[in-house]
């Protein structure tokens, strides 16, 4: 998470608390070091956010902070709503539920006279049933775990692979996983709708995900023909 969204999340955490919360608890919830948390607190205090407290005691926000409503211009609102509707339609379970909640939040904080219903752009992508598979892949990427898949290719031939997930791409007909394949010792693409079984391999990837992603970006581009 970049710093700007993290600062907003920190504000929301403090607004939801009535009692002081320790710096360590805040750092753990945000997934940052205690040193970074202290720096974020000082930044917000310097911008006038009414945060009280100190290291070793805890932090609390005084009443009175009012955040301005989101002020998307017409094109920005079109882009945000269309993107969320895409996820909502494409992945009706899991991440699609998150998109629905995000859309509802945006609807409640738009300035008076603005509405997400003003966006007359529709998404007609097919529901491929890949949401559960995608959830496991996303979790594996976050924890840098290898996964074992049972895969059936375009010719119907079945194989079992252990792969290191890199990224998932969304195309008109299917979602595609780019991963390092231990069997081929190279990057390969796998359509999610052809993965018949997927399990965590019970061990970590042998390379950090950020390095895999950088290597993949340098050498490959996604292709639907998998």
């Amino acid at each position: 998470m970049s710093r700007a969204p993290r600062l907003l999340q920190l504000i929301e955490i403090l607004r939801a608390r009535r009692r002081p919360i320790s710096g360590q608890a805040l750092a753990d919830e945000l997934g940052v070091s205690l040193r970074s948390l202290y720096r974020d607190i000082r930044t917000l205090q310097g911008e006038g956010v009414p945060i009280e407290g100190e290291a070793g005691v805890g932090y609390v926000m005084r009443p009175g902070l009012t955040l301005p409503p989101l002020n998307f211009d017409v094109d920005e609102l079109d882009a945000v709503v269309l993107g969320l509707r895409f996820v909502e339609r494409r992945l009706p379970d899991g991440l699609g539920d998150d998109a629905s909640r995000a859309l509802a939040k945006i609807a409640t904080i738009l300035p008076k006279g603005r509405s997400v219903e003003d966006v007359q752009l529709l998404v007609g992508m097919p529901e491929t049933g890949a949401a559960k598979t995608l959830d496991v892949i996303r979790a594996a990427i976050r924890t840098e775990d290898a996964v074992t898949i049972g895969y059936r290719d375009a010719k119907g031939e079945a194989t079992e692979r252990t792969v290191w997930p890199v990224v998932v791409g969304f195309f008109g007909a299917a979602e595609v996983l780019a991963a390092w394949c231990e069997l081929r010792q190279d990057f390969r693409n796998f359509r999610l709708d052809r993965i018949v079984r997927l399990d965590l391999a019970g061990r970590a990837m042998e390379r950090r995900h950020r390095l895999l992603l950088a290597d993949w970006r340098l050498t490959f581009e996604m292709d639907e023909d998998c």
Side-chain angles (χ1 to χ4, degrees):
M1 181 188 301
S2 62
R3 195 173 188 224
R6 189 175 75 236
L7 292 174
L8 289 174
Q9 185 177 350
L10 175 56
I11 290 173
E12 290 302 319
I13 293 171
L14 289 170
R15 289 178 70 182
R17 300 273 184 159
R18 295 184 178 181
R19 297 181 179 180
I21 178 173
S22 71
Q24 188 61 62
L26 285 168
D28 291 343
E29 190 162 349
L30 292 167
V32 298
S33 68
L34 195 55
R35 181 177 179 180
S36 294
L37 183 278
Y38 290 151
R39 185 168 61 246
D40 289 349
I41 292 285
R42 289 194 298 270
T43 296
L44 291 174
Q45 289 173 329
E47 294 297 324
V49 179
I51 299 173
E52 293 183 342
E54 59 184 78
V57 176
Y59 296 92
V60 66
M61 185 178 292
R62 297 196 313 270
L65 176 67
T66 301
L67 295 178
L70 289 179
N71 189 23
F72 295 112
D73 65 28
V74 173
D75 292 331
E76 289 172 341
L77 186 61
D78 282 356
V80 170
V81 172
L82 184 63
L84 289 171
R85 283 176 174 167
F86 174 89
V87 177
E88 197 177 35
R89 178 76 173 88
R90 192 68 175 258
L91 302 167
D93 301 314
L95 201 60
D97 293 336
D98 296 325
S100 297
R101 287 194 295 272
L103 195 56
K105 287 180 180 179
I106 290 173
T108 62
I109 57 179
L110 287 174
K112 187 176 181 180
R114 302 291 304 280
S115 169
V116 296
E117 300 306 320
D118 296 336
V119 180
Q120 299 302 314
L121 300 173
L122 301 179
V123 176
M125 297 298 180
E127 296 171 6
T128 62
K132 292 183 179 180
T133 299
L134 180 61
D135 286 344
V136 176
I137 292 171
R138 292 174 62 227
I141 289 174
R142 285 195 297 268
T143 56
E144 299 188 331
D145 285 322
V147 298
T148 301
I149 63 173
Y151 191 74
R152 193 173 301 277
D153 65 18
K155 299 178 180 179
E157 297 178 359
T159 58
E160 182 170 301
R161 316 279 187 97
T162 297
V163 303
W164 309 343
V166 178
V167 68
V168 176
F170 292 79
F171 299 98
E175 297 84 19
V176 177
L177 166 67
W180 175 267
C181 177
E182 292 186 357
L183 177 66
R184 303 300 185 193
Q185 286 295 292
D186 201 353
F187 291 105
R188 288 291 187 270
N189 294 337
F190 304 93
R191 283 179 52 146
L192 266 60
D193 59 349
R194 293 178 183 160
I195 295 177
V196 297
R197 182 180 55 80
L198 185 146
D199 301 292
L200 293 176
R203 56 183 172 83
M205 304 177 189
E206 295 177 19
R207 294 181 64 196
R208 298 301 302 270
H209 177 260
R210 67 175 182 272
L211 299 178
L212 277 175
L213 180 61
D215 195 15
W216 175 80
R217 282 175 169 162
L218 287 173
T219 57
F220 276 84
E221 290 186 359
M222 281 201 158
D223 188 345
E224 282 188 86
D225 186 21
C226 305

